[in-house]
Amino acid sequence: MTNTTRLTVAQALVRFLAQQWIERDGVEHRLIAGCIGIFGHGNVAGIGQALAEQGAGTHDPLPYYLARNEQAMVHTAVGYARQSDRLSTLACTSSIGPGATNMVTGAALATINRLPVLLLPGDLFATRVASPVLQELEDPRSYDVSVNDCLKPVSRFWDRVNRPEQLPAALLGAMRVLTDPAETGAVTLALPQDVQAEAHDWPEELFARRVWHVARPVPEPAALARAAELLRGSRRPLIVAGGGVKYSGACAELARFAGRHGVPVAETQAGKGALPYDHPCAVGAIGHTGTRAADTLAREADLVIGIGTRYSDFTTASRTLFRQAGFLNVNVAAFDAAKHAAETLVADAREALKALGDVDWRADPGWTSRAAELAAGWQAETDRFYGGTELTQPVVLGVLNEVAAGGVVVNAAGSMPGDLHRLWRASDPGQYHVEYGYSCMGYEIAGGLGVKLAAPEREVFVLVGDGSYLMMAQEIATAVQEGVKLVIVLVDNQGFASIGALSESVGALRLGTAYRKRGPDGRLDGERLPVDLAANAASLGADVLTAADPQTLRAALAKAVASPRTTVVYVETVPGPAPAAEAWWDVPVAEVSGLAEARAARERYDEAKRDQRPYL
């Protein structure tokens, strides 16, 4: 006879999550390292009560963290998962209604970036006995629809637990996706509020310690042979290293492969740091935000070896960059490996590089030398951008790069990701954390909190512009509450600098991109807004320092590093020289317009469009 324990659905859920582990290469980690959430009527009597009963302190099996915004708490879980190389994450719980829909953006960000997060939104009454309940979206076509259905298209696994008996299968399905490198992303279990509180007799084996093993798929022999043939036929190869290199722990193997075969290595946003910036084969960032070195090589390469990349339009410069190349794609996910009509090697990145390392082949020595010369030229350019006397954005990055040695830089959207991608000198795989799959404004502080929770031994430097800060700054209070120390560099340039430049380039005259009052003619081009971001940060509990030049910035950052408290360093930047785009990005321009600026932009667009290729 099976032994059982009588618990509510929520109590069983919490007990199950606390017993889930993940193992790779013989090392085990907690799969769900904690639960972050905000309580309302849809989850307080269920998950809230269950967490309170098991303790929920930082020394308990499933610690609880109080967030300030549901979107932000998913960002925190994403930051945690990425810093943990997808081997651990957080569960996120919300009430029904706006709490649940607030998580949609975070879920999309997680799934696009192939990062595991577990979402536990409350839901309507499964019995429907009290419908319509507070915050219920009534759909006249079906009584089985709730706002949680919005999470379906942005989740890799989605289920609604309408009966206690459904919970074990739902939990096992959720864990399967969270631990599968090829399938992972946001996982949603919608939990009706009455079912959360319902008692059931659970088999004890549901709560046994369970270890989920992460496999390292090896290349299929025939595919490996085809890949080797492509390598032997290439004289001008270029590696594009994506996030999959770092997640699989393949950085050392990449360095060995590149060095042995003389192959230059360019990096996507997610892959930056896969090689140290000063490695002989490193040529830096690639694509629209790429270096001159990497993009020049990309145009001349005869073979692109994509490793763990999903080939976003920024990486391919909207399919205009790789003009002569064929593709060999190494990816654990067949979906990504097959892009651009490539020869595919569906395998773990580390295992694939080991296997390919045995191929008797080397790039043309002149190609290897040319790559090194171009990379050295770009490092000299970086020195020039870093060496200014005024606080331009590149100068801020240069000072921070100097101070942040050994730390982690976190950023997401705006103009900074481009400058970081080109200029940041990453010395190890965990130092660079820029969310650019979804390019989500507001990710920075919440994501940085997750990074610090995952890596408390490292200094975490959050770079955030005024636009992103005003969208989502409130997790400063969470960091202060938890005693989690962040160094936040708040860069104020009075608006949306990146979109302002893009707006000008497409003939939209920078409309709506500056933080200004309305002027005499009713346009948003009047005087500056009297917004004090430094005072706002202080009101949330952070210490605040200001910097007016490179010297005071360096001193402020040193003081922030020495402090045990979350510190915001406020910087007003000035316009100045910054790296220009070395490759195109396809943003459609009005085909007809009464504005001369728009007509000129369309002419430039049509000319660039001619270089696009289908990669077939």
Side-chain angles (χ1 to χ4, degrees):
M1 183 175 178
T2 303
N3 293 327
T4 62
T5 300
R6 191 162 182 80
L7 299 169
T8 68
V9 167
Q11 291 162 1
L13 167 69
V14 167
R15 187 174 295 191
F16 174 89
L17 293 180
Q19 292 300 318
Q20 304 308 297
W21 294 76
I22 187 170
E23 174 273 329
R24 187 179 70 180
D25 300 334
V27 180
E28 294 183 0
H29 311 262
R30 276 198 181 275
L31 176 55
I32 308 298
C35 181
I36 185 167
I38 299 174
F39 294 119
H41 68 283
N43 64 342
V44 66
I47 292 177
Q49 188 279 330
L51 286 169
E53 187 165 320
Q54 69 100 43
T58 54
H59 301 295
D60 291 303
L62 199 68
Y64 167 71
Y65 303 96
L66 170 62
R68 268 66 189 174
N69 176 279
E70 292 87 358
Q71 177 183 324
M73 71 191 188
V74 184
H75 294 335
T76 298
V78 168
Y80 193 103
R82 179 169 170 178
Q83 193 65 27
S84 303
D85 287 337
R86 305 196 295 200
L87 296 174
S88 190
T89 189
L90 302 176
C92 303
T93 182
S94 78
S95 187
I96 71 171
T101 54
N102 277 352
M103 293 201 291
V104 172
T105 295
L109 181 148
T111 296
I112 285 172
N113 285 286
R114 317 293 203 263
L115 292 166
V117 296
L118 177 61
L119 310 183
L120 303 171
D123 212 325
L124 312 177
F125 280 69
T127 60
R128 304 176 186 163
V129 65
S131 293
V133 298
L134 179 65
Q135 299 178 331
E136 177 175 352
L137 173 71
E138 293 185 272
D139 189 330
R141 299 167 297 177
S142 172
Y143 293 126
D144 195 38
V145 173
S146 81
V147 295
N148 283 333
D149 290 84
C150 295
L151 286 158
K152 284 183 177 178
V154 294
S155 298
R156 294 294 289 167
F157 180 88
W158 186 101
D159 199 10
R160 179 178 282 123
V161 180
N162 284 311
R163 292 295 307 139
E165 294 87 348
Q166 297 171 348
L167 182 66
L171 288 172
L172 294 173
M175 299 305 109
R176 172 186 63 79
V177 174
L178 288 173
T179 57
D180 186 338
E183 291 293 323
T184 199
V187 168
T188 299
L189 296 181
L191 302 168
Q193 54 188 299
D194 54 343
V195 177
Q196 288 184 50
E198 188 174 342
H200 184 72
D201 293 318
W202 306 95
E204 284 285 354
E205 62 184 327
L206 181 64
F207 310 118
R209 189 177 190 273
R210 182 180 296 271
V211 180
W212 298 82
H213 303 280
V214 180
R216 287 192 177 276
V218 298
E220 188 253 332
L224 185 61
R226 292 190 295 268
E229 185 179 355
L230 271 181
L231 293 181
R232 293 190 189 101
S234 171
R235 295 176 58 82
R236 302 186 309 280
L238 176 68
I239 290 173
V240 175
V245 175
K246 297 199 285 187
Y247 299 143
S248 69
C251 297
E253 204 60 50
L254 173 65
R256 279 191 289 270
F257 178 90
R260 178 179 178 182
H261 299 288
V263 185
V265 177
E267 301 164 319
T268 70
Q269 282 280 11
K272 190 171 177 67
L275 279 189
Y277 77 94
D278 55 356
H279 187 280
C281 293
V283 296
I286 194 164
H288 178 64
T289 53
T291 67
R292 185 175 304 115
D295 286 355
T296 298
L297 294 168
R299 293 184 182 98
E300 299 173 5
D302 61 8
L303 178 66
V304 172
I305 308 168
I307 307 175
T309 176
R310 64 189 188 91
Y311 286 115
S312 77
D313 65 337
F314 261 55
T315 298
T316 68
S318 300
R319 301 193 178 197
T320 62
L321 189 56
F322 306 113
R323 296 179 179 176
Q324 306 175 45
F327 290 82
L328 168 62
N329 290 341
V330 176
N331 207 297
V332 73
F335 174 78
D336 290 317
K339 289 176 177 175
H340 305 318
E343 189 66 61
T344 64
L345 201 59
V346 179
D348 172 78
R350 193 185 75 179
E351 296 305 308
L353 283 166
K354 283 182 180 178
L356 290 172
D358 294 333
V359 178
D360 185 15
W361 156 82
R362 187 174 176 84
D364 186 290
W367 175 253
T368 306
S369 298
R370 175 166 162 72
E373 291 170 5
L374 287 168
W378 185 256
Q379 290 304 324
E381 280 283 279
T382 301
D383 288 338
R384 183 174 67 83
F385 284 116
Y386 276 1
T389 57
E390 294 185 297
L391 281 181
T392 63
Q393 188 161 277
V395 169
V396 171
L397 298 186
V399 174
L400 181 60
N401 210 166
E402 172 191 330
V403 174
V408 184
V409 62
V410 181
N411 186 242
S415 60
M416 277 189 282
D419 287 349
L420 281 163
H421 196 204
R422 296 183 185 100
L423 299 176
W424 191 262
R425 289 167 166 165
S427 56
D428 72 75
Q431 190 190 37
Y432 186 85
H433 186 115
V434 173
E435 189 288 299
Y436 215 57
Y438 209 38
S439 183
C440 186
M441 295 181 71
Y443 172 86
E444 295 91 341
I445 294 171
L449 174 60
V451 171
K452 185 66 174 180
L453 288 171
E457 74 283 359
R458 301 190 76 158
E459 288 287 347
V460 175
F461 299 87
V462 175
L463 264 170
V464 59
D466 51 320
S468 274
Y469 181 89
L470 285 170
M471 286 193 177
M472 196 166 289
Q474 67 280 351
E475 299 311 310
I476 290 176
T478 303
V480 171
Q481 171 185 281
E482 294 293 339
V484 174
K485 183 260 184 93
L486 301 175
V487 177
I488 301 170
V489 182
L490 173 51
V491 177
D492 190 349
N493 55 22
Q494 290 293 307
F496 305 129
S498 174
I499 295 301
L502 179 62
S503 173
E504 187 171 46
S505 74
V506 299
L509 307 183
R510 291 184 176 259
L511 176 66
T513 61
Y515 288 157
R516 300 278 177 171
K517 291 182 178 180
R518 293 201 180 272
D521 61 357
R523 298 175 183 268
L524 289 171
D525 58 1
E527 62 185 51
R528 291 173 54 164
L529 298 180
V531 176
D532 191 334
L533 299 181
N536 177 267
S539 76
L540 293 171
D543 293 342
V544 178
L545 306 170
T546 60
D549 53 49
Q551 292 71 35
T552 55
L553 175 59
R554 189 173 287 105
L557 287 170
K559 185 174 181 179
V561 169
S563 172
R565 291 172 42 80
T566 287
T567 303
V568 172
V569 178
Y570 176 77
V571 183
E572 284 194 72
T573 55
V574 298
E582 296 290 336
W584 188 58
W585 183 37
D586 192 345
V587 178
V589 178
E591 195 166 359
V592 295
S593 174
L595 295 173
E597 295 88 344
R599 293 194 298 273
R602 181 67 196 200
E603 288 180 11
R604 294 192 298 270
Y605 177 81
D606 289 337
E607 181 179 354
K609 191 81 171 170
R610 286 192 285 270
D611 289 332
Q612 252 176 344
R613 56 176 285 206
Y615 293 145
L616 290 175

